[in-house]
Amino acid sequence: MFAQRPDPRPATVEVFVHGTALKVPEGSSAAAAVLLAGLGAIRETPVNGAPRLPYCMMGICFDCLAEIDGVANRQACMVTVKPGMRIAPQHGARAAKVVA
Ligand code: FES
């Protein structure tokens, strides 16, 4: 006759944003984690070093480029968080590997 109500709290996962542990709702994007962390910038433009934070949250502006789990130039708004994920700011342009 009585059914238990579902837990209203969403599940969370722990990620590390610029080295700080942070719990974010499961299914969030890495860009959302960056914004929840309250960072001043996640990247700097390569031309004049202007600070940038996620803006469009849908893969258009590229202001969310970050280093995620050691891989630079990832669009944080297009990446879903996973437990233990490490999200770090990206400074300037990504270094290119030259293969001879
Ligand atoms: S926030 Fe605009 S591309 Fe990610």
Side-chain angles (χ1 to χ4, degrees), residues 10-56:
T12 59
V13 296
E14 185 176 69
V15 297
F16 297 89
V17 179
H18 202 21
T20 303
L22 180 73
K23 289 193 184 297
V24 297
E26 193 176 57
S28 297
S29 68
V34 166
L35 294 173
L36 282 171
L39 294 184
I42 191 63
R43 77 173 184 102
E44 299 163 346
T45 59
V47 175
N48 62 5
R52 292 287 188 257
L53 277 172
Y55 179 66
C56 71

Side-chain angles (χ1 to χ4, degrees), residues 31 53-65 75-78:
L53 277 172
Y55 179 66
C56 71
M57 303 298 277
M58 58 183 184
I60 303 296
C61 72
F62 287 76
D63 278 344
C64 63
L65 292 180
Q75 281 182 282
C77 67
M78 297 285 105

